[in-house]
Every structure is written in C-alpha cells, then in structure tokens.
Amino acid sequence: MSAILKVENLEASYGELRVLRGINFEVERGGVTTLLGANGAGKSTTLRALCGMIQRSGKIMFDDRDVSRMPTEDIVRIGVAHIPEGRGTFSTLTTEENLHLGAMARPNKKDEIESDIRKCFEFFPRLQERRNQQAGTLSGGEQQMLAIARALMLRPKLMLLDEPSFGLAPLVTRQIFDILADLNKETGTSMLVVEQNASLALELADHAYLIETGSIVMSGEADAIREDESVRASYLGY
Amino acid sequence: MVGAKGQTPVISIQGVTVKFGGIVALDSVEFDILDGEILGLIGPNGAGKTTLFNCLSRLYTPTSGNIAFMGESILGQPAHRIAGLGIGRTFQNVASFANLSVRDNVRIGAHSDTRSNPLFDALWLPSVRREERKIDEVTADLIGWLGLEDVAELPVGGLPFGTQKRVELARALASHPKLLLLDEPACGLNHDEVSELGTLIKRIRDERGVTVLLVEHHMSLVMSVSDRVVVLNFGEKIAEGTPDEVQKNPEVVAAYLGDGH
Amino acid sequence: MTQTVHTNAQAPSASVPPYQPAPAPQAKLLSLGNIVSLLVLALLIAIPIFSEGFFVFQMTQMLVYATAVLGLNLLTGINGQFSLGHSAFYAIGAYTCAILVELGGVNYMLTIPIAGVVAFVFGFLFAFPALRLEGIYLALATFALAVATPQLLKLNAISDWTGGVQGIVMFQETFDVPVPFGLPMDPGTWTFYLTLFVFAVVYVLALALVRSRTGRAMMAIRDNPIAARSMGISLPYYKATAFGVSALVTGIAGALNAIVIKFVAPDSFTFIFAVLILVGMVIGGVGWLQGCLIGGLAMLYFPNIAEVFDDIVLWVANIGGFADALPSGNEMQQQFIRLSGVIYGVILVLIIYLAPSGAGGLLRAIAGRIKRLLS
Amino acid sequence: MELFLQQVVSGISTGAIYACMALSVVMIYQAIHHLNFAQGEMAMFSTYIAWQMMAWGFAWWIAFPVTIIVSFMGGFAIERVVFKPIQNAPVLSHIVVFIALFSIFNSLAGFIWDFTIKSVASPFGEGPFMGSTLLGKHQAGMIAVTILMLVMLWAFFQFTRVGLAMRAAAVNPESARLVGIRVETMTALGWGMASAIGAVAGILIAPVVFLEPNMMLSILLYGFAGAVLGGLTSPLGAVIGGFLVGIVENLAGTYLGGIGAELKLSIALALIIIVLVVKPEGLFGRKIVQRV
C-alpha cells in the first residue's frame, strides 16, 4: 500500500520552546496509524504541525503533494479533517450548523450537503435528536460524535484524531472507537489517531509510533507493540 | 497503608465533590496525605486530578466535602492565603514570571513568608531592609541548592523548559512550605530528565522535610518515588495503596489498558 | 544547555556536596545606570544656569509631564493594567492644589503632597470596580472616566469650589508663584527647581517601590496573575494599590501643572490629554520607568510635531533644490499644523510596528550591543 | 405618568442614535474581541464623504449607498493594512493603534473639511412624525432604519454561508480554520461591516447633532454604554441597550433636574462601570466563562 501521508524530519516549536525534534512517519492509504506517548511528549503538537496550526519545518507530503508550507485552510480544502483535542465544537451554534460548517471547504452544492447531513444523522441518530440544540449543551460523547460527523462532512481522505477518548466514560470511549473502526472499514478513510489509552488505540490501528519528548523512539505493527513488555512498562510501570 | 499508623495527616481530603453544571468532576473523593510522605495521584485524562489539584490550591471550591490542612479547613481561605498556610505548588506547563530574573522569581516565592507595606517599601525603611535580607538569604540558598547560579540574573522567559521547571520548584520552596503540590512535573521531559526529577523530588522530601503530593501521568516516575499512590478515574477514587498494590489492582489495570486486559 | 542544566539534579541525594550560598549581588553604586542618572540630573540642574525664560518654562512642563508618564507606567508597565483615563487623576491633583491655594489659603508647596493623597484615594476607590475588569474592559471604563471628567468638573453644584467652566486662576494677587525664603531667583527658575525636586523625589521613591517586595508582587501579577496568587499575593490588594500609587504620582503631576500654569480649567483635562500621557509612556517605553523623561519630552514636543515636520521638509527641499516648488513657508506650515493629528497617528503606528518597546527598548538594545562589542 | 411616558418616547428617539452606534460597536467586537476606540471617528469620516457627495450635487439616495460601500471597503482595508501585522501583539498595542486611528481620522477630517459645523439634511424630512409632538420624522426614520439593519444582519448571519462562517470564526477561530474557513478574511469582513454600519449611524446622526470632526466622541461613549448594557455579544441586545441608554438619560434629565442634564456623560460612565462590574455579559449577552 502507498502512503497517503509521509512526514520527514518534522520540527515544531511554541515560541522559544522546541517541541518536535525532527520526526519521521507515514500513514498508509486506507489504514489507521496511531501515535502513542506520555503527556507533553508532542503528540498533539504533531497533529497541529501537520495542519499548519503552529510554526513548523520539515517535509509533509499528503496525497503526493507537498503541504509543508500550506496554510491550515488550504490543507483542509484538499481533504484533511482534523478533530482537535477537546473536540473543537462551535459551542453556541446548533448541531446542524456545526455539520454545515464541516462542509464549508466543499463546493456549495446544497443538495449534496443536505444529503450528507442526512447520512450523518442516520449514522448518529443521537445527533438528529439534538439537531437544533446548541452544541455546547451536548454530552461529551455526543460532542465527540458531532466532531466525527463534522469531519465526515468534508468527505476527507485523511482524518486526524486528537485524543478521541478525552474525558469519556469507558463505555462511551469503546463506542467511539467502534464507530471509528466501522468508518475506516466502510469508507476507507485513512486515519491518524493520537491517544493516551494505548490499548484501545492499538486495537484500532494497524501501525503505531511511540513518541517521547518530541522524538519517535519506536515504531512497528500495532499487534507487535501491543505485546511488547517494554511499552507496557512505560504505560503502567510494570 | 505503609507507615501510616500513628502519623498525622498533613492534609485530609474529606468527601470532596465538584460539579460543573451537570457534570460531576469529582465524586466524594477521600484520602489523607501523611507527614513526610510522597503521595502519587494518578488517573487517566479527565479523571479529575487537575480539578482536585485546583481545589487544594483554592482556585476551585468543592460543591461539598472538606479539605483540612493541619487539622483546619482551608475552604474559608482565599486562594492567595494558601501559600501562607504552608502549601506550595508548581504548574503543569510552567507559570513563571517571564520578564523577571530567576532571582526575582524565587524572591517572589518568599512573598507569603514575609511582610511589608507599600509605604515603607517606597521609603526603604530599616525594617524593609531587614526583610529583604531575609528574602535574599532564602533565595540565594535555594538558587545554590538547585544549581541555578549561572542563570540567576537572566529573565526566566528565555531559559530552557527544564530550567524553568527548576526555577518553579525553587520559587515554591522559598516560602518554606509544609506541603508541596506538583502538577505533572514530568510533562515535556525526556527519559533522563524524568529520572533526575525523581531524584530531586526525593531530595526535596529528605533534605527539606517537605511533604509532597505528586500528580502525574508518568507511571514509572510515580511508581518509583511515591510511598503511596491514589488512583482516580471518572472523578472517583478507585484505588489507594503502595505502588505494588496499586499496580496489581485489577480496576486500575482496566482503567489504563481498557477491559481487554 | 539542557545537559549542563541537569547535572546538578543528578547529584546523588545521599552525599550532597556542601555549598556556599552565593551572596545576592549588591546593587553597585557606580553602575552604568546610576552614572547616567546622575549625569542627567546634573544636566537638568544646569538648565536655568545656561538658559532662561521660555526654555526653562518648557523644561518645567517636561518634568511635570514626565511625572505623569511615570505614574501611568507604574500602573501599565509594572502592574499590567490599562488606563485611558489618567487625565482624571491629573485633574484631581490640579484642582486639589488650586482649590486649597485659592480658597483654603494653603501654602502651594504643601498642596503637592496633599494632592497626591487625594488622588491616591480616588484612584484606590476607582480601582475597586476596576479590579474585576481586564484588558480592553478596563480601557473602556477608564475611557468613559476620561470623557466624563470635564463635564463633572463643570457641575454647577460644585462650581463654588471649581469655578465651573471658568476654572480657577491661581496666585491672583501677584500673578506669579511666590518664591520662598527670599531666594534670589525669578519665579520661573524657582518653579523649575521645585518641579525638579518633586520629580526627583517621586522618581527615587517609585524606583525603590518597584525594587521592593511590593513592586515584585505587582510585576508578578503583570506576568502571571494565577501564579502570583498561588505565591500568596493578593490580587485585589496589589492591583488597587498599584492603581492608587499610579493616581498619586499622576495627581502630584497635576498639582505641579497647576502651579506651573497658574490656572486650572475643565477643558485642559480631556480624553485627548489622557491619550497624550499614554503616548508619552509608549514612546518612553512601557515598563521602563527611566523612560519617563523621554516620554515627557515627547508629550512636550508632540503637539508641535507639525512644525518639526515642516522644518524637515524645508531642509530636504533646500538640499534637493526643489524649495521653489513648495507652497510658501508660512502656508505650508499651516497645512502641516492642520495635519498634525495625522502625523502623530502615523508615528504612533510606526512605533508599535518598529519599536514596540519604545525608546527604552531601543536604548537597551543599543546598550546591549555596545556591551557585547566591549567584551 | 404622562410626563414619564413622554420622556420614555423621547428617550427612544435619542436612543436610536445610540442604538445605531452600539450596533456598529458590537459588530467589531464580534469580529476582533476588541473595542475600537476609533469607531466614532471612522463613522464621522464616512458622514463627511456622504456630505461631500451631496455638496457636489449627488442625490441622497446615491450618496448614501456609495458612502456605505466606500466605508465597507475602507474598514476592510484598515484591517488588512493596519491590524493584520499586529494581530498577535498585546492588547496595549491594539489600544495605541486605535488611538492613532482616532487621531488620524479626526485630523484628516479637519484638514479636508475644516472644523466649521455643517448641517446635513434629513432624508426623512423635518417636522413631527404623524402629528406627534414627541417623535420627529427623522427620529422615526432612524428607528426604522436601525430596526431594518438589525433584521438584515440577523438574516445575513442566520441564512447565508458567509454569515455562518463569520459566526463560526467568532465562536472558535481555531476550529473555524480546521473546517477551511479563512478566519482572517472573516475578521476583515467584520471590520468592513462594522464600518459600513458606522457610516449609516453617522449619516443618520448628523442631522441631529450637526456635522463636525468632534461630533462622535460622546456619541461613541453612549454607543459603548448601550453595547455593554445590552451585551457585547448580542446585536439585538446592543440595539435595545442603546434605546435604554437614551431613555435613562432622558429620565435623569427630567427627574434629577439641572444635575441630570449636566451629568449626561457621567450617566454613561456610571452605566458602563456598573454593568461591567455587576453583569459583565450585559442584559442579553452570552456569559463569558472564565477558565482557570
């Protein structure tokens, strides 16, 4: 399989503080890749750097195009949907308006967009019930569903997911990960998932990278890493 | 509990509940931190660690429950009195006074341990000079103890992250706290730096006699330095005990690794 | 860097090498800063000796403005709060002085500290509602204060004291500031030295305050309020104190202004004047108290910027040989004067773009470069 | 009671001025989360453009739309040229630049059109509105235009794609970028719209207060008061707030006698401080949640 995203020597910093020290990784077309690591290791920063939300340098190839100098808005336009940590809900707008916004980067074809919104509601009936409610009043799980649905409205080629389990109860987290697995299977959308819950992420992903203070320290097939004692040790200390 | 018998709690968290709107961030959490121990507080993202931390430093007020420090409730005290009572803290992503020098940052740490008033300060009266000497001594001592002499006169904002973290520690220790709250001190450090941090935390307890509450994601750090560990998940305490006991607790394993394990 | 930094923490906890705490560096008496300060002071003292009349008056006015800039900078530069309304505290100082001298028969020199105290009280009281306001909201509240001040001063109900729209003319018997102790100088020179003395005292006390525990607490709030609070610093107390002290210094400047001009009237204390103080502070350098003299100069010459501009254009035209193409000198100057608001608007924008730290920042950058060259 | 009602109605008619201005203040606040202290001067400048066109002999109905378009483009350009370079600078820099713009527009207007007072005719005509002694034709027209603008704005934000994008950019700029919205263009659009609304306000206000370079300073203060009272996040609130300020001012003038009339600006000052301290989100605004 070819890589839909290929990252070479990516560096990023917040002002003076250098957070990424030249990392390399790939996401396979149609596959799910996960980035694992402790708090502050640079996982979210990687996603933000990919989308041009912070200063970065290095080479980022998406779908055989060099996007390393492209502004965020344009990267979205060519099919990268980023679901930020904390979900990035437009909290005072309604659920439906949030979904409309997801299609903002697409040509304004009313019928297509309306039909995509209907599909989203079929997939997430909970969202349909809440379509006219302010998105900020939704529960954490519903907001995460909304964030995924909003990303789907782009008809993306690649989804970047930042901590989909953040603040969700185990059952809901499980549900969200099942949805992601279904989506990947049905639509073939490639995914890059950043996650603290290593076990869940490794179940979903086929490939994994382990990141520590801004450098990648290990990579491999998800199943292999899952069974690796040393990785487990750095997660639970045993 | 290890070595807990007969020791007095420095701080006692009694049935603390915090609700934001309809969301329960902490649900009747209860535990003690004993004199001279290092207590690790862990839990997955969103478990309520930071909320509890903010209750202890009085940035939040619990919806119900009580927090007693040295036997007295702190809930009636405003946030700025907490340092004066003897509770110091550091911040997750360092919160230094970026434009001020390392020395001034540490001096400000001694604020709650000293007295002055603006009028006397402007006139630089003898009492002010005495107090300043006291502050300077404490500051110089800590700067030496933490090896910050070379950067003492530089503005903190331009220093490397790891150094800023030590300035924060020096600043927190300058008021001679009884209890030190560390909010994810390992965040953003690499392997070697984390193990140095572990040594430093033990030194703070051993050499400075400070009780430590360590809120942390980094398992191996928590497990290697803590005397006891408390585990939170979804706002509830799910385990408490020695690092060994906690690591074997099936609920903890499930919380961290998912039900599959 | 990171490596050297962490070697110390690696020291095994069992055998910590005994160390000698390094003594805190004592402030050197003959530091570069002190030498420059003394030189500037000497220069100021010498002014009336080498010049007279209007220039001495202008320098007196400059010192008054410098005091006001110092006051605002204590609030904004040191404590991080904004004010577009410092004209109000300046007015309070000026009116306190004028009323006490004219209606109370109080010695005008005595009114200077009294004006400071009155302004402090007003500032402290205004600070209480203002405490809850941050950034742009505080700017709004103080903007409203500045716009309302002239109207408040004109209130009929208090016109017995304030003189209403007319204001108060001071020293009506002699029309001059009385020179005390039979000193052999003219009133202008005396006013200059009085102003210089007051400025110097206020400046030294302000600097001492900033370097003390109180000043550090104020700067801590500026840099990081949440961290400051957890260091045991009371935000309400120090923010209100900063507001009060800032108003005090500005009020003293107002009192000096009343003495220098010998006249107070509501329309001298408009929003535009508040803006002028702000401009002085920005040019001098926010957070750099030493810049207040530069700020004072800027306030003095800014309103005349058009004439300066006119001179520059003429000079360039003469060199370039196209002076004939310009409108006649007087006419052009008139045009520039009418455009002065545009000129200083543009200069302000340029300062924000090119030298956001003001003259202070530029001077420090230059000093830093010289130091590096020398070492 | 009748006196009271009369004063309320005449308060509404002055309030229309403030409501217009408040609407423009809210527009800019939505776009940039700042208060533009040069807003009044920009509106004054726009009004001069309209006046100039009419002085050249253009009809009102030509001068009015042209001025609005020119103001829109001017506002858009100011954001692009002046504010974009300092978008990450501290609040103080923004305040200083607002003040600089204030000075530039004020002085430029004086330079071009000098400081003598000019009268601007009302498009709605003089005289009482439908025989009422309280409400003039012009005031009635102003109220109508203000309400019309409000409805148009509401429809724009509710039903158009750009309107939705602007709202999204205001609520959560980072997420807006992540769905492909050009947030900076939205900000500039906000500036353009605020400046266009300011132009409408200026043109409507000029027949009441007479046109001169300093006409807007106190009106801007009332506009701020109205916007803060109604809520800086709510256009409807700002308009209602503007009317309320007019009513309060009038009632104070009636019931407090001479003092009330003298204290006009101080009433605005007091209103601003009280609202900011007691209910910073205003009567109709969204609560701004502070996070630790």
Side-chain angles (χ1 to χ4, degrees):
Chain A
M1 272 195 281
S2 68
I4 190 162
L5 181 74
K6 205 167 152 61
V7 175
E8 280 171 32
N9 202 21
L10 180 65
E11 294 188 10
S13 48
Y14 291 105
E16 302 278 304
L17 180 63
R18 200 150 136 255
V19 186
L20 294 182
R21 299 151 195 269
I23 60 171
N24 301 288
F25 66 93
E26 289 181 10
V27 177
E28 277 171 10
R29 201 177 290 275
V32 180
T33 299
T34 181
L35 276 181
L36 304 173
N39 236 19
K43 296 172 307 207
S44 298
T45 309
T46 308
L47 295 195
R48 296 169 63 82
L50 287 178
C51 279
M53 294 160 80
I54 52 169
Q55 279 178 44
R56 66 197 164 173
S57 69
K59 195 171 172 196
I60 306 166
M61 296 295 289
F62 169 69
D63 215 5
D64 300 322
R65 287 172 73 170
D66 186 355
V67 299
S68 41
R69 280 171 207 291
M70 217 180 249
T72 310
E73 300 93 306
D74 292 345
I75 295 178
V76 176
R77 275 161 207 274
I78 58 172
V80 179
H82 182 162
I83 303 175
E85 189 174 6
R87 299 155 199 128
T89 312
F90 298 101
S91 50
T92 55
L93 308 187
T94 66
T95 302
E96 199 171 345
E97 284 171 336
N98 269 269
L99 292 180
H100 270 286
L101 284 163
M104 204 50 98
R106 277 168 52 184
N108 187 12
K109 290 185 187 140
K110 282 226 164 62
D111 297 348
E112 259 181 40
I113 292 174
E114 289 297 337
S115 103
D116 277 8
I117 288 183
R118 272 198 302 279
K119 272 187 218 155
C120 278
F121 282 153
E122 273 164 34
F123 206 88
F124 300 103
R126 291 278 282 285
L127 294 183
Q128 180 154 30
E129 289 166 31
R130 311 234 185 274
R131 65 190 293 171
N132 292 320
Q133 211 168 309
Q134 280 200 354
T137 62
L138 268 55
S139 76
E142 288 165 349
Q143 286 198 33
Q144 190 66 60
M145 289 178 199
L146 175 59
I148 295 171
R150 193 182 71 207
L152 289 175
M153 290 298 296
L154 180 69
R155 297 190 174 173
K157 294 179 189 146
L158 172 67
M159 281 170 79
L160 309 177
L161 293 122
D162 199 347
E163 300 265 353
S165 76
F166 184 85
L168 300 183
L171 224 65
V172 185
T173 309
R174 165 63 63 187
Q175 223 179 335
I176 295 286
F177 273 80
D178 288 346
I179 289 170
L180 290 175
D182 283 354
L183 274 175
N184 176 249
K185 234 175 263 145
E186 280 175 31
T187 61
T189 313
S190 323
M191 294 180 184
L192 175 60
V193 183
V194 151
E195 184 51 65
Q196 279 221 357
N197 190 325
S199 155
L200 270 177
L202 288 169
E203 253 174 63
L204 173 68
D206 22 64
H207 209 87
Y209 293 86
L210 196 65
I211 187 168
E212 193 185 278
T213 29
S215 309
I216 287 188
V217 289
M218 187 191 299
S219 74
E221 294 304 313
D223 290 340
I225 289 195
R226 233 175 132 189
E227 301 309 321
D228 191 314
E229 279 297 316
S230 69
V231 177
R232 294 182 51 170
S234 68
Y235 276 87
L236 245 183
Y238 72 101
Chain B
M1 286 191 221
V2 184
K5 292 267 172 334
Q7 282 183 328
T8 44
V10 170
I11 199 158
S12 161
I13 290 143
Q14 301 156 352
V16 167
T17 298
V18 177
K19 292 181 188 162
F20 296 114
I23 304 157
V24 182
L26 283 180
D27 191 1
S28 323
V29 172
E30 196 148 340
F31 63 90
D32 289 347
I33 307 173
L34 303 175
D35 193 11
E37 81 173 334
I38 298 175
L39 184 112
L41 179 65
I42 60 171
N45 258 350
K49 301 184 301 285
T50 306
T51 309
L52 182 62
F53 201 95
N54 284 333
C55 287
L56 290 173
S57 46
R58 291 291 296 119
L59 296 178
Y60 294 161
T61 300
T63 319
S64 64
N66 189 25
I67 298 173
F69 178 69
M70 312 291 283
E72 304 230 357
S73 174
I74 61 166
L75 296 184
Q77 303 282 358
H80 69 261
R81 290 272 166 69
I82 295 305
L85 294 176
I87 304 178
R89 74 164 289 185
T90 64
F91 291 81
Q92 190 173 337
N93 288 313
V94 301
S96 36
F97 306 120
N99 295 309
L100 301 178
S101 68
V102 170
R103 193 177 296 282
D104 274 345
N105 267 266
V106 182
R107 278 182 175 138
I108 291 167
H111 185 93
S112 65
D113 220 20
T114 43
R115 295 285 158 267
S116 76
N117 75 60
L119 181 63
F120 289 7
D121 273 353
L123 298 172
W124 216 245
L125 295 185
S127 66
V128 173
R129 269 175 260 162
R130 260 200 310 279
E131 209 71 355
E132 285 290 323
R133 262 202 299 282
K134 193 168 125 192
I135 294 173
D136 282 348
E137 272 165 30
V138 172
T139 306
D141 171 47
L142 280 165
I143 284 177
W145 194 69
L146 284 162
L148 292 165
E149 295 100 332
D150 292 344
V151 292
E153 312 310 325
L154 300 178
V156 175
L159 298 175
F161 196 59
T163 314
Q164 292 200 26
K165 290 207 159 193
R166 278 189 300 143
V167 174
E168 256 203 29
L169 275 177
R171 190 179 70 182
L173 290 171
S175 62
H176 299 111
K178 181 90 189 115
L179 172 69
L180 181 61
L181 311 173
L182 301 175
D183 190 0
E184 306 216 2
C187 176
L189 300 184
N190 65 30
H191 239 105
D192 295 343
E193 289 170 329
V194 169
S195 70
E196 288 158 19
L197 176 71
T199 316
L200 185 55
I201 293 173
K202 283 191 179 152
R203 278 180 65 202
I204 288 173
R205 193 258 313 263
D206 297 342
E207 295 171 25
R208 302 247 149 201
V210 178
T211 306
V212 177
L213 171 67
L214 171 64
V215 174
E216 192 43 76
H217 259 104
H218 203 288
M219 287 305 147
S220 41
L221 174 67
V222 174
M223 297 305 168
S224 63
V225 303
S226 306
D227 300 317
R228 286 190 308 132
V229 177
V230 168
V231 188
L232 291 183
N233 199 18
F234 294 103
E236 289 180 39
K237 184 177 89 174
I238 59 169
E240 176 175 358
T242 63
D244 269 350
E245 288 164 3
V246 165
Q247 285 172 54
K248 294 197 181 99
N249 185 319
E251 250 192 287
V252 178
V253 175
Y256 271 91
L257 287 183
D259 306 327
H261 285 256
Chain C
M1 189 73 192
T2 2
Q3 274 210 326
T4 54
V5 157
H6 288 284
T7 44
N8 194 282
Q10 253 169 347
S13 57
S15 60
V16 187
Y19 65 88
Q20 286 291 313
Q26 294 296 311
K28 277 177 286 178
L29 272 178
L30 279 179
S31 70
L32 184 69
N34 285 351
I35 294 172
V36 173
S37 302
L38 287 175
L39 278 179
V40 170
L41 183 65
L43 202 69
L44 286 170
I45 290 174
I47 282 176
I49 303 172
F50 296 105
S51 66
E52 53 186 296
F54 188 61
F55 186 70
V56 173
F57 170 77
Q58 278 192 318
M59 288 301 104
T60 316
Q61 190 70 59
M62 184 275 283
L63 287 170
V64 173
Y65 288 156
T67 314
V69 169
L70 180 69
L72 182 59
N73 215 345
L74 282 170
L75 183 72
T76 305
I78 301 301
N79 195 223
Q81 302 189 72
F82 300 112
S83 173
L84 288 173
H86 259 45
S87 54
F89 304 115
Y90 197 81
I92 286 166
Y95 269 90
T96 305
C97 167
I99 292 169
L100 285 177
V101 170
E102 288 309 302
L103 295 179
V106 181
N107 180 304
Y108 65 93
M109 286 182 278
L110 260 180
T111 67
I112 297 171
I114 298 175
V117 172
V118 172
F120 177 87
V121 172
F122 272 94
F124 200 81
L125 291 179
F126 186 81
F128 271 106
L131 280 180
R132 297 188 48 186
L133 309 179
E134 312 230 324
I136 198 82
Y137 298 105
L138 186 56
L140 172 60
T142 51
F143 167 79
L145 178 66
V147 175
T149 295
Q151 209 183 50
L152 281 169
L153 292 173
K154 288 175 196 165
L155 266 187
N156 267 325
I158 53 169
S159 63
D160 285 349
W161 293 288
T162 59
V165 187
Q166 309 294 324
I168 304 168
V169 178
M170 291 173 67
F171 311 116
Q172 285 184 31
E173 278 140 38
T174 55
F175 290 103
D176 256 327
V177 178
V179 179
F181 321 124
L183 287 173
M185 34 176 112
D186 65 281
T189 309
W190 161 246
T191 322
F192 175 83
Y193 282 122
L194 176 69
T195 307
L196 179 59
F197 174 75
V198 173
F199 166 76
V201 169
V202 169
Y203 176 81
V204 168
L205 291 184
L207 236 54
L209 183 71
V210 168
R211 284 176 191 163
S212 73
R213 179 173 173 274
T214 303
R216 286 191 301 265
M218 287 173 179
M219 292 187 284
I221 292 171
R222 171 196 70 193
D223 278 8
N224 196 324
I226 292 177
R229 199 156 59 158
S230 62
M231 295 301 112
I233 294 167
S234 159
L235 266 54
Y237 176 76
Y238 283 102
K239 283 173 98 169
T241 302
F243 222 108
V245 171
S246 169
L248 180 146
V249 174
T250 309
I252 286 178
L256 287 172
N257 193 70
I259 294 167
V260 172
I261 308 286
K262 294 168 275 188
F263 173 59
V264 296
D267 290 328
S268 324
F269 308 109
T270 58
F271 168 61
I272 302 298
F273 186 70
V275 167
L276 201 57
I277 304 177
L278 181 80
V279 169
M281 176 182 71
V282 169
I283 292 180
V286 179
W288 192 60
L289 297 187
Q290 289 85 337
C292 65
L293 283 173
I294 300 170
L297 275 174
M299 281 181 75
L300 183 68
Y301 286 112
F302 232 54
N304 304 329
I305 197 102
E307 284 151 42
V308 178
F309 215 72
D310 179 57
D311 290 343
I312 294 172
V313 171
L314 271 180
W315 184 68
V316 172
N318 281 326
I319 291 178
F322 58 88
D324 294 343
L326 294 176
S328 75
N330 206 13
E331 192 183 320
M332 189 170 77
Q333 197 176 14
Q334 286 308 313
Q335 301 290 357
F336 276 123
I337 286 174
R338 292 171 61 201
L339 271 176
S340 57
V342 177
I343 296 171
Y344 60 81
V346 171
I347 291 178
L348 270 186
V349 174
L350 289 179
I351 288 175
I352 292 296
Y353 284 2
L354 305 176
S357 45
L362 285 181
L363 285 178
R364 270 174 294 176
I366 294 167
R369 201 145 308 161
I370 291 172
K371 262 186 205 162
R372 238 172 294 149
L373 278 179
L374 293 180
S375 65
Chain D
M1 195 61 202
E2 197 174 320
L3 178 71
F4 179 79
L5 282 180
Q6 276 180 5
Q7 289 308 317
V8 169
V9 174
S10 91
I12 289 175
S13 95
T14 12
I17 301 175
Y18 310 151
C20 257
M21 202 61 221
L23 195 55
S24 145
V25 167
V26 164
M27 266 317 295
I28 204 76
Y29 184 82
Q30 293 286 46
I32 59 172
H33 300 284
H34 275 305
L35 297 168
N36 179 0
F37 291 95
Q39 190 99 57
E41 305 308 290
M42 285 167 63
M44 173 273 295
F45 201 83
S46 297
T47 311
Y48 267 109
I49 294 175
W51 176 87
Q52 183 67 67
M53 288 187 67
M54 287 190 269
W56 283 335
F58 288 100
W60 192 89
W61 56 269
I62 295 179
F64 187 71
V66 169
T67 303
I68 289 173
I69 292 166
V70 170
S71 305
F72 178 88
M73 293 192 303
F76 194 94
I78 286 175
E79 199 282 333
R80 289 272 107 151
V81 177
V82 184
F83 284 95
K84 200 168 165 242
I86 57 162
Q87 56 184 344
N88 296 320
V91 182
L92 182 70
S93 302
H94 286 259
I95 294 177
V96 172
V97 175
F98 289 137
I99 298 298
L101 283 180
F102 180 100
S103 163
I104 289 172
F105 279 113
N106 187 287
S107 165
L108 205 56
F111 178 73
I112 302 175
W113 293 289
D114 70 51
F115 284 86
T116 55
I117 289 172
K118 297 183 168 49
S119 70
V120 176
S122 165
F124 311 109
E126 310 288 322
F129 177 65
M130 310 212 322
S132 155
T133 47
L134 295 171
L135 207 56
K137 276 186 187 151
H138 181 75
Q139 272 75 9
M142 276 182 78
I143 295 172
V145 171
T146 307
I147 291 170
L148 184 69
M149 276 203 302
L150 191 64
V151 172
M152 281 167 61
L153 274 179
W154 176 77
F156 170 77
F157 282 120
Q158 211 58 41
F159 301 122
T160 68
R161 215 173 185 224
V162 182
L164 180 61
M166 282 180 75
R167 275 157 70 206
V171 174
N172 193 334
E174 186 160 277
S175 285
R177 254 182 215 114
L178 288 178
V179 295
I181 294 170
R182 296 189 194 284
V183 173
E184 289 167 3
T185 312
M186 297 303 130
T187 307
L189 269 180
W191 266 87
M193 288 172 64
S195 140
I197 296 170
V200 175
I203 295 171
L204 292 177
I205 292 165
V208 186
V209 299
F210 297 112
L211 180 57
E212 54 107 7
N214 296 318
M215 76 178 200
M216 278 296 188
L217 182 61
S218 50
I219 289 172
L220 179 65
L221 182 60
Y222 292 121
F224 278 150
V228 167
L229 178 62
L232 282 164
T233 51
S234 159
L236 173 66
V239 168
I240 297 176
F243 283 121
L244 284 177
V245 171
I247 294 170
V248 168
E249 188 196 346
N250 243 310
L251 290 179
T254 313
Y255 293 103
L256 298 179
I259 294 225
E262 280 184 74
L263 278 175
K264 279 183 159 196
L265 288 166
S266 314
I267 289 170
L269 165 70
L271 263 178
I272 287 174
I273 292 178
I274 291 170
V275 175
L276 283 180
V277 170
V278 177
K279 202 168 177 340
E281 72 274 15
L283 296 176
F284 303 96
R286 253 191 340 267
K287 201 159 197 140
I288 300 149
V289 182
Q290 259 199 342
R291 290 177 59 191
V292 179

